[in-house]
Amino acid sequence: MNSLPLFKDDNNVWVYKDDIIAKLKEIGACNCEYLFIHTDISFGFLNPSLKKKEYLEELYKCLCSLNVGTLIFPAFTYSFCNGEDFDVNNSKTSMGVLIEYIRKKPEAHRTLDPLLSLILVGENKTALDDALSMHSLGENSAFDKIHRLNNLKFLFFGAEFDEYFTYVHYVEKMLNVPYRFDKEFSGNIIDYKGNKYFDRHYIHTQCGKVKLKNYSEMKLDLIKENKLKIAKLGNKEVCCISEQDAYKAVHDRIINNINSFVEPFKEDDLTHEYTFGKNGERVTHC
């Protein structure tokens, strides 16, 4: 076991690097070729002997030590939604400090999506480069490509499954749900070599008067079905599910009940009004 603990939980129990790795293996995060990782690293009280970057590096090493072929991280910027250029090398992500830390790693490769870019690290880090759709969630998008990759899992590393699972919106787009619509944005993309060009991009966003629900019911069902593996880690939890199980769960719930992920809506609610950022706040959701 590591001589230096990383953090302690509310019960004053210290958690070491080996503890984290053991929990991730317990939920099967090591048994895949691709691992898509959502993060929220506020697991507990940080060891005061560690600097912030040291803590982030240790967490990154935990994920790398799983020996998964390729790690994938959401590095969303919603740049065009915020009236900004998207610079693939320099645009900061709003997906948390760990992913922003990994983004700056020399081994990290980022996709050119100006709304929902992804970072890949590992053996096949260019696996999504041929996802050339102008739609961030549509056919031939990176998420569509993810659906077609072999042996991919989603890991929620402290992040709440029932709050932040962007993949649900991909399935909703594929099923063309009535409570979302395609919204166009435009701006400049600055590519890997510094070349700037104008582009248009689309995202499948919620209609103006539709109210979202979280995914807590689906989470409980998946745990009961033993498809979502879950373990406590510090003050949070880690959980893992295969892409196949996730897709089927979302797909079937929508097919069986159109209100699975939204409050019951009326025809008048289906306004093609983009509500994010309308009061001047930064857009961080779709």
Side-chain angles (χ1 to χ4, degrees):
M1 181 174 286
N2 290 8
S3 59
L4 184 66
L6 300 186
F7 55 84
K8 67 177 178 179
D9 63 20
D10 288 342
N11 295 316
N12 288 319
V13 175
W14 283 102
V15 176
Y16 295 76
K17 181 177 176 180
D18 287 351
D19 298 325
I20 296 173
I21 296 170
K23 290 290 186 178
L24 295 177
K25 289 183 176 180
E26 177 185 326
I27 61 173
C30 56
N31 302 323
C32 54
E33 295 179 33
Y34 297 89
L35 188 63
F36 189 114
I37 307 170
H38 289 277
T39 66
D40 180 348
I41 60 169
S42 51
F43 291 105
F45 177 75
L46 181 64
N47 187 333
S49 300
L50 283 174
K51 295 180 180 178
K52 180 180 177 181
K53 284 189 176 181
E54 292 174 325
Y55 176 56
L56 296 175
E57 180 66 18
E58 289 302 312
L59 294 181
Y60 178 55
K61 286 179 179 178
C62 288
L63 297 171
C64 292
S65 71
L66 296 173
N67 293 320
V68 171
T70 306
L71 304 178
I72 305 175
F73 302 89
F76 309 158
T77 61
Y78 300 95
S79 295
F80 288 3
C81 309
N82 288 297
E84 300 169 351
D85 291 350
F86 173 68
D87 186 334
V88 69
N89 294 321
N90 297 301
S91 289
K92 294 180 179 179
T93 176
S94 57
M95 296 294 102
V97 292
L98 178 57
I99 293 178
E100 178 63 11
Y101 176 77
I102 296 169
R103 180 187 71 80
K104 298 176 182 177
K105 289 279 188 180
E107 66 268 28
H109 178 74
R110 192 182 202 176
T111 64
L112 276 169
D113 191 311
L115 307 182
L116 303 182
S117 64
L118 303 175
I119 290 170
L120 289 81
V121 177
E123 296 172 1
N124 199 7
K125 63 183 182 181
T126 61
L128 303 178
D129 280 5
D130 60 349
L132 303 176
S133 175
M134 292 174 65
H135 200 298
S136 293
L137 294 165
E139 186 176 350
N140 204 33
S141 66
F143 281 90
D144 192 37
K145 182 77 174 179
I146 281 170
H147 178 51
R148 302 177 198 291
L149 290 175
N150 291 322
N151 197 14
L152 182 142
K153 287 186 175 182
F154 293 103
L155 169 64
F156 296 81
F157 188 56
E160 296 288 344
F161 173 91
D162 48 354
E163 292 287 343
Y164 304 106
F165 194 10
T166 309
Y167 187 72
V168 171
H169 302 323
Y170 159 70
V171 184
E172 289 174 320
K173 170 59 181 171
M174 292 295 97
L175 293 176
N176 196 28
V177 296
Y179 53 82
R180 287 186 168 262
F181 70 100
D182 290 335
K183 172 68 176 174
E184 177 185 312
F185 295 94
S186 60
N188 293 311
I189 292 177
I190 303 171
D191 68 15
Y192 307 105
K193 296 181 179 180
N195 300 311
K196 180 186 286 191
Y197 59 93
F198 179 81
D199 195 18
R200 299 182 187 279
H201 227 72
Y202 298 83
I203 199 163
H204 204 222
T205 190
Q206 72 189 73
C207 291
K209 296 181 181 179
V210 171
K211 296 181 179 179
L212 304 184
K213 294 191 294 190
N214 65 28
Y215 311 138
S216 56
E217 285 186 10
M218 180 171 66
K219 177 182 178 180
L220 292 174
D221 287 345
L222 287 168
I223 292 173
K224 290 177 184 177
E225 295 165 6
N226 202 31
K227 292 177 179 176
L228 183 67
K229 309 291 186 179
I230 191 167
K232 190 87 165 58
L233 181 61
N235 295 331
K236 288 186 164 290
E237 61 186 26
V238 291
C239 55
C240 192
I241 187 172
S242 74
E243 185 279 334
Q244 288 182 324
D245 286 339
Y247 184 91
K248 187 176 187 308
V250 177
H251 176 279
D252 290 356
R253 290 185 78 88
I254 293 172
I255 292 297
N256 293 328
N257 177 12
I258 195 64
N259 293 314
S260 288
F261 303 118
V262 294
E263 298 293 341
F265 56 86
K266 307 183 297 293
E267 191 69 26
D268 291 347
D269 296 328
L270 304 181
T271 59
H272 288 189
E273 174 191 7
Y274 190 67
T275 58
F276 298 108
K278 64 185 302 182
N279 296 317
E281 69 275 16
R282 185 170 183 80
V283 176
T284 58
H285 295 82
C286 59

